[in-house]
């Protein structure tokens, strides 16, 4: 049967017929994005070097054209997770525009292939089910690859905490906010005051390039942090903000500002993430008391959808 034969026969469309459809049965199709994973490195892999030792960012080879990645100084490598290996590309540092973020709790139960997700507000429920670990997704643009559109950066556990942090936890985002964003807010308030306009307008972090990479010392050697408790400890390289001055007064905003064109683009992308449901997709899960796993479509390392979770990412 040809395509024309399948679609030639016309039937009058009734737009009011939707009123008889159970809305809970309507498919929820979320936006999909290529996934960049955080890798925490391994102290025992010093001889091998590269991502296996120093940690950093990993993207699977089927997510983006290899020539584009190589032109942007990504190096070909493999990501070992369990008994599997994923071929892809690695970079130790990036400059990113963070469009939006979402986070959730995950509980991995012995014998289960995927972790069970819980909303961030449901920590007690997650704790009752098992040992919760945080997962953060950041919708980002990567400097030098802006024309490819957004990626999803996925981080888990301590790496996620090091990225986003909180009131009492210094992090990549808080360091950036206390320096670059604070300086931008200060200058905009000063300009508004001078022009006789209301002050206090604030800048979102998406409007500035955030330099981020694997922690390293002054000699460039990876810095490992011990995470975990008791016998269940591991040494990982965590993400850190790179090249930021100690105080906001030392920031040169021209080094970080995305520019007028990308400013409009980042605002559009945030609105799209909000309107499409990507931003709020993790505020509820149909777990059925932790039995039915929702949104775990990212089963293999970086399958490119940006919707679920990669068990191997640390």
């Amino acid at each position: 049967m040809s395509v024309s034969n399948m679609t030639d026969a016309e039937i009058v469309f009734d737009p009011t017929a939707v009123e008889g459809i159970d809305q809970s049965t309507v498919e929820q199709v979320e936006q999909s994005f290529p996934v960049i994973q955080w890798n925490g490195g391994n102290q025992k892999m010093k001889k091998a070097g590269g991502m296996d030792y120093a940690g950093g960012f990993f993207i699977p080879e089927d997510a983006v054209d290899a020539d584009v990645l190589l032109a942007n100084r990504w190096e070909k490598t493999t990501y070992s997770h369990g008994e599997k290996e994923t071929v892809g590309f690695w970079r130790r540092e990036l400059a990113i525009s963070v469009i939006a973020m979402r986070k959730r709790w995950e509980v991995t139960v012995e014998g289960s292939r995927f972790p069970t997700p819980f909303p961030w507000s449901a920590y007690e429920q997650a704790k009752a089910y098992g040992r919760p670990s945080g997962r953060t997704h950041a919708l980002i643009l990567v400097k030098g690859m802006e024309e490819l559109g957004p990626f999803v950066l996925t981080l888990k556990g301590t790496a996620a905490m090091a990225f986003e942090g909180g009131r009492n936890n210094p992090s990549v985002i808080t360091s950036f906010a206390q320096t670059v964003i604070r300086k931008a807010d200060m200058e905009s308030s000063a300009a508004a005051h001078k022009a006789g306009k209301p002050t206090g307008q604030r800048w979102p972090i998406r409007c500035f390039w955030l330099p981020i990479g694997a922690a390293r010392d002054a000699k460039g050697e990876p810095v490992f942090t011990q995470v975990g408790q008791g016998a269940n400890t591991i040494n990982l390289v965590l993400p850190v903000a790179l090249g930021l001055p100690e105080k906001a007064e030392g920031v040169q905003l021209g080094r970080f500002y995305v520019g007028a064109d990308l400013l409009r683009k980042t605002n559009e992308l945030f609105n799209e993430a909000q309107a499409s449901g990507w931003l709020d997709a993790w505020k509820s899960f149909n777990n059925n008391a932790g039995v039915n796993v929702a949104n775990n479509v990212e089963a293999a390392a970086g399958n490119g959808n940006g919707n679920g979770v990669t068990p191997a990412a640390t």
Side-chain angles (χ1 to χ4, degrees):
M1 180 183 294
S2 68
V3 173
S4 60
N5 287 339
M6 287 192 292
T7 58
D8 274 353
E10 292 190 11
I11 297 176
V12 176
F13 173 68
D14 179 5
T16 65
V18 72
E19 298 170 4
I21 295 176
D22 181 353
Q23 292 300 295
S24 68
T25 68
V26 178
E27 299 80 6
Q28 301 297 316
V29 181
E30 189 179 318
Q31 280 184 294
S32 297
F33 306 99
V35 174
I36 297 176
Q37 295 176 262
W38 178 258
N39 182 292
N42 188 331
Q43 275 184 315
K44 298 178 181 179
M45 299 299 289
K46 184 173 183 177
K47 187 175 181 179
M51 183 183 74
D52 290 342
Y53 175 52
F57 302 95
F58 175 83
I59 185 168
E61 65 175 349
D62 59 356
V64 177
D65 183 81
D67 291 338
V68 174
L69 293 173
L70 292 171
N72 282 275
R73 294 180 292 137
W74 290 72
E75 300 178 25
K76 194 160 189 178
T77 189
T78 57
Y79 190 148
S80 298
H81 42 102
E83 298 179 355
K84 299 181 180 179
E85 280 194 347
T86 300
V87 179
F89 295 84
W90 162 71
R91 273 201 65 174
R92 199 178 182 192
E93 58 271 322
L94 295 173
I96 62 176
S97 164
V98 181
I99 307 298
M101 290 187 289
R102 63 186 185 184
K103 55 187 178 180
R104 69 187 188 188
W105 297 109
E106 296 176 355
V107 177
T108 301
V109 179
E110 186 175 353
S112 176
R113 185 180 175 189
F114 302 113
T116 299
F118 292 84
W120 194 252
S121 60
Y123 176 77
E124 292 302 323
Q125 293 94 317
K127 186 177 179 182
Y129 190 61
R131 185 177 177 180
S133 179
R135 166 75 62 178
T136 294
H137 270 183
L139 188 66
I140 64 172
L141 289 177
V142 177
K143 191 172 185 178
M145 302 197 301
E146 301 93 324
E147 71 282 359
L148 299 180
F151 292 80
V152 164
L153 172 61
T154 178
L155 309 99
K156 182 182 179 181
T158 307
M161 181 69 73
F163 178 75
E164 187 178 6
R167 182 174 298 176
N168 300 316
N169 297 291
S171 69
V172 172
I173 296 297
T174 56
S175 296
F176 192 61
Q178 291 167 4
T179 52
V180 174
I181 304 304
R182 184 164 181 260
K183 179 63 176 294
D185 290 345
M186 291 165 56
E187 290 209 3
S188 291
S189 286
H193 179 75
K194 185 176 181 180
K197 297 180 180 179
T199 62
Q201 297 274 34
R202 299 172 61 194
W203 285 90
I205 59 175
R206 64 179 178 269
C207 302
F208 298 86
W209 291 117
L210 163 57
I212 177 177
R216 76 286 305 265
D217 61 22
K219 295 181 179 179
E221 285 295 308
V223 173
F224 290 86
T225 299
Q226 187 178 82
V227 302
Q229 297 178 348
N232 297 317
T233 60
I234 187 173
N235 293 308
L236 297 175
V237 178
L238 299 177
V240 296
L242 300 172
L244 300 183
E246 292 186 5
K247 297 183 178 180
E249 288 75 11
V251 172
Q252 298 177 17
L253 288 173
R255 294 181 53 218
F256 300 94
Y257 185 47
V258 297
D261 291 340
L262 274 180
L263 174 64
R264 287 189 290 270
K265 183 63 175 178
T266 59
N267 290 335
E268 290 171 3
L269 289 171
F270 178 84
N271 292 335
E272 289 172 9
Q274 195 169 46
S276 69
W278 185 92
L279 193 58
D280 295 329
W282 285 0
K283 288 188 175 180
S284 64
F285 294 100
N286 181 26
N287 272 348
N288 294 334
V291 176
N292 183 30
V293 181
N295 275 11
N296 60 8
V297 291
E298 192 180 325
N303 68 356
N305 53 50
N307 300 331
V309 52
T310 303
T314 54

